[in-house]
């Protein structure tokens, strides 16, 4: 009887171990994430816009852009070099490799994200399929230096073979993130004054109330863990796909 392949749920704990390799760097990035998250309401006040959930999301994305565009991918490249020392991302040359790849990686990630968003808005299932089949392409470009088409083909071929265990691990990470969001929302409902549920807290309140600073720090730490857990999952997927690639 064939033994089923092992689960990839271990990537969740491996994400914690990757974060602990550089505790001061992790703390610094979490504080940076908190400050950048607070940049969103500051931009709303500077623009003079009223309470609007769509604009709140737009300004929040703009505030966190440096973190998502540069600092988190840089952390992933460093940790991958330290733990894998692959020829395409060696421990002695990951800085140079990262500097040459991060911008095109971000553009590829942005393009795939737009395609996923359009697919979700139109029919839902196409967006999910794009994410499932091609979601690994940007990290493949970043860490292994492949071009966009090659990375897309690798992601698609690998996910076709290994998708059940990958989806299981990603769903587990999503449950952790949702549990945090629910706990944070529950706490904020009890810490903040009553307000219009359709508009949410105003920009000035989000900028001044210490609860938002606290939860943005925790949310930033969670985001760093998710990024490290996804890196660990990618490394597991790469190792599982290597025998079939060599065959």
């Amino acid at each position: 009887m064939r033994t089923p392949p092992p689960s990839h749920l271990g990537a969740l704990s491996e994400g914690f171990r990757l974060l602990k390799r550089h505790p001061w760097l992790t703390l610094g990035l979490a504080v940076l994430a908190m400050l950048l998250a607070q940049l969103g309401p500051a931009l709303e006040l500077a623009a003079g816009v009223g309470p609007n959930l769509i604009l709140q999301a737009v300004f929040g994305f703009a505030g966190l852009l440096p973190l998502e565009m540069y600092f988190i991918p840089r952390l992933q490249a460093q940790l991958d070099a330290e733990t894998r020392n692959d020829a395409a991302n060696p421990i002695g040359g990951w800085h140079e490799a990262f500097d040459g790849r991060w911008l095109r990686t971000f553009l590829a990630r942005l393009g795939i994200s737009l395609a996923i968003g359009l697919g979700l808005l139109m029919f839902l299932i196409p967006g999910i399929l794009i994410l499932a089949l091609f979601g690994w392409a940007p990290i493949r470009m970043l860490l292994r230096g492949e071009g966009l088409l090659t990375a897309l083909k690798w992601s698609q071929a690998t996910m076709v073979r290994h998708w059940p265990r990958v989806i299981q691990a990603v769903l587990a990470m999503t449950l952790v993130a949702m549990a945090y969001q629910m706990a944070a929302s529950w706490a904020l409902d009890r810490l903040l004054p009553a307000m219009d549920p359709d508009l949410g807290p105003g920009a000035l309140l989000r900028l001044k109330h210490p609860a938002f600073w606290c939860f943005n720090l925790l949310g930033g730490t969670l985001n760093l863990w998710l990024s490290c857990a996804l890196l660990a999952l990618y490394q597991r997927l790469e190792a599982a796909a290597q025998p079939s690639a060599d065959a």
Side-chain angles (χ1 to χ4, degrees), residues 98-142:
F98 173 78
D99 289 340
R101 299 169 183 169
W102 69 270
L103 182 56
R104 64 188 179 95
T105 297
F106 173 75
L107 293 176
R109 180 181 172 188
L110 186 61
I112 293 173
S113 297
L114 289 174
I116 292 169
L118 289 174
L120 291 174
L121 285 174
M122 291 189 299
F123 301 108
L124 187 64
I125 293 179
I128 296 174
L129 288 176
I130 293 172
L131 174 61
L133 291 175
F134 304 115
W136 295 114
I139 197 169
R140 183 77 177 175
M141 295 172 63
L142 177 69

Side-chain angles (χ1 to χ4, degrees), residues 229-240:
L230 286 172
L231 171 61
L233 181 57
Y234 165 77
Q235 291 176 337
R236 283 169 162 258
L237 184 59
E238 187 178 53

Side-chain angles (χ1 to χ4, degrees), residues 18-232:
L18 288 172
L19 274 185
K20 290 193 298 183
R21 291 180 65 91
H22 302 285
W24 289 110
L25 176 59
T26 298
L27 178 61
L29 289 175
V31 172
L32 177 63
M34 175 187 69
L35 295 174
L36 291 175
Q38 291 300 96
L39 185 59
L43 291 173
E44 291 179 54
L45 291 174
V49 299
N52 185 295
L53 293 179
I54 295 179
L55 290 177
Q56 179 179 328
V58 170
F59 283 114
F61 173 78
L64 289 173
L65 193 59
L67 188 74
E68 298 291 339
M69 182 178 184
Y70 184 83
F71 290 103
I72 286 181
R74 190 178 189 277
L75 175 65
Q76 290 178 317
Q78 178 180 354
L79 292 173
D80 177 75
E82 292 174 352
T83 54
R84 286 296 184 268
N85 195 26
D86 189 274
N89 189 39
I91 192 169
W94 70 267
H95 302 84
E96 294 78 8
F98 173 78
D99 289 340
R101 299 169 183 169
W102 69 270
L103 182 56
R104 64 188 179 95
T105 297
F106 173 75
L107 293 176
R109 180 181 172 188
L110 186 61
I112 293 173
S113 297
L114 289 174
I116 292 169
L118 289 174
L120 291 174
L121 285 174
M122 291 189 299
F123 301 108
L124 187 64
I125 293 179
I128 296 174
L129 288 176
I130 293 172
L131 174 61
L133 291 175
F134 304 115
W136 295 114
I139 197 169
R140 183 77 177 175
M141 295 172 63
L142 177 69
L143 302 182
R144 303 299 174 251
E146 293 184 347
L148 177 59
L149 290 179
T150 304
L152 289 172
K153 290 178 181 178
W154 183 92
S155 179
Q156 181 268 334
T158 305
M159 283 297 291
V160 166
R161 293 176 60 88
H162 302 281
W163 69 268
R165 292 183 294 155
V166 174
I167 297 299
Q168 180 189 43
V170 170
L171 286 177
M173 296 177 199
T174 304
L175 287 175
V176 174
M178 290 177 60
Y180 166 76
Q181 289 293 340
M182 291 174 62
S185 298
W186 179 86
L188 286 173
D189 285 342
R190 281 147 184 80
L191 291 172
L192 300 180
M195 62 193 72
D196 188 340
D198 294 328
L199 298 177
L204 185 60
L205 178 61
R206 285 183 278 121
L207 194 60
K208 293 175 60 176
H209 201 289
F212 287 97
W213 291 82
C214 177
F215 284 115
N216 283 333
L217 178 64
L218 293 175
T221 305
L222 175 67
N223 191 19
L224 291 173
W225 168 72
L226 286 171
S227 300
C228 289
L230 286 172
L231 171 61

